Amino acid sequence: MTDLLKTIPFWDHLTEEEQARVAAAAYVRHYDAGEQLYGPCVDCVGMIHILRGETRAYLLSDEGREVTLFRVTEGDNCIISASCVLAHISFEAHMDVSEPSDILIIPVGLFGELCDRNVHVQCFAYGLATRRFSSVVAVMEQTLFSRLDKRLAGFLLRTCRETGSPEIRMTQEELAARVNSVRETVGRMLKRFSAEGIIEIRRGAIRVLDMEKLEKQAK
């Protein structure tokens, strides 16, 4: 456990007593894809550190529309799941596990105490909250002011570059969640891209045929 905790940014700034308390209280939990990690009906678990997998934070409207705020991937941390002890987080977000994940958790009560007593932990919490706020603003700006064809093309382009493959193994429903739209609208846009020779639609996947045309769509 101590070796895992050494990857937490503020670990070296804890006192020996604080390190001992965290080592005794922290635990690793496995989550299956689709499990809810945080939400209005789920108690705060604490600060999380992703050892393996991915989680997604999103807003949910009364009509059931989801808007993805950000994703937390392997090696990253999140304090949304500890928002009940952090006064600067006041919006009602949800967080689900996107894929099978192993998550290191520092319980919410202990994390709250560390924030109160250790300025380095407090700076970490505020710094992380600022990063997430910047991500949320960027998402809202893109969702409100950027056309869907541009958002979708940009996502396909980034994914191809990150994976080094022209094939993106993702359903249309998953794509819609990634670009904050609905499956039907994304499906129509993908058909348009297909008709223009930019992509090929496959079962559970999209294959990019013309990267240059895709780049023009993303601009």
Side-chain angles (χ1 to χ4, degrees):
M1 179 59 70
T2 301
D3 288 339
L4 294 177
L5 289 168
K6 286 180 180 178
T7 62
I8 302 297
F10 55 78
W11 176 256
D12 290 337
H13 298 290
L14 298 178
T15 65
E16 289 186 6
E17 179 187 359
E18 288 170 339
Q19 288 182 348
R21 291 186 64 197
V22 173
Y27 60 98
V28 175
R29 178 177 166 183
H30 175 79
Y31 287 86
D32 293 323
E35 281 193 70
Q36 188 169 63
L37 182 64
Y38 174 75
C41 299
V42 179
D43 292 336
C44 297
V45 294
M47 193 212 87
I48 65 171
H49 176 77
I50 309 298
L51 300 173
R52 180 180 68 90
E54 179 185 85
T55 66
R56 178 177 72 100
Y58 61 96
L59 297 178
L60 181 65
S61 72
D62 293 337
E63 294 78 26
R65 169 80 186 277
E66 295 180 2
V67 176
T68 299
L69 301 176
F70 57 84
R71 293 175 183 272
V72 187
T73 56
E74 184 175 327
D76 205 356
N77 311 285
C78 189
I79 56 175
I80 290 293
S81 51
S83 63
C84 52
V85 298
L86 300 170
H88 53 276
I89 299 179
S90 59
F91 59 89
E92 198 170 85
H94 300 251
M95 179 174 281
D96 290 353
V97 177
S98 308
E99 57 187 62
S101 302
D102 294 320
I103 299 178
L104 174 64
I105 299 172
I106 297 178
V108 63
L110 177 56
F111 184 68
E113 287 184 38
L114 294 175
C115 284
D116 290 338
R117 299 178 181 180
N118 190 309
V119 67
H120 297 286
V121 180
Q122 190 176 90
C123 288
F124 161 80
Y126 276 92
L128 189 53
T130 300
R131 278 175 48 205
R132 297 304 180 207
F133 177 73
S134 297
S135 298
V136 169
V137 170
V139 166
M140 292 304 179
E141 183 179 48
Q142 188 180 63
T143 303
L144 292 173
F145 303 118
S146 179
R147 300 192 317 269
L148 176 60
D149 57 347
K150 182 177 179 180
R151 301 204 310 270
L152 182 57
F155 174 76
L156 295 175
L157 194 63
R158 287 192 304 274
T159 304
C160 286
R161 287 172 175 169
E162 289 171 0
T163 62
S165 170
E167 184 165 285
I168 301 166
R169 300 200 61 80
M170 195 174 291
T171 66
Q172 293 185 15
E173 187 171 353
E174 289 171 324
L175 275 174
R178 294 280 183 165
V179 298
N180 288 326
S181 184
V182 294
R183 183 181 59 79
E184 293 78 11
T185 307
V186 166
R188 289 194 295 269
M189 193 62 65
L190 289 173
K191 287 180 181 178
R192 199 197 88 185
F193 286 179
S194 178
E196 294 174 0
I198 300 174
I199 64 168
E200 178 186 359
I201 301 174
R202 298 182 174 183
R203 186 176 181 84
I206 305 294
R207 186 173 185 83
V208 177
L209 303 177
D210 194 321
M211 199 67 72
E212 187 176 337
K213 285 185 178 179
L214 190 63
E215 289 178 352
K216 290 180 180 179
Q217 285 287 343
K219 292 181 179 177

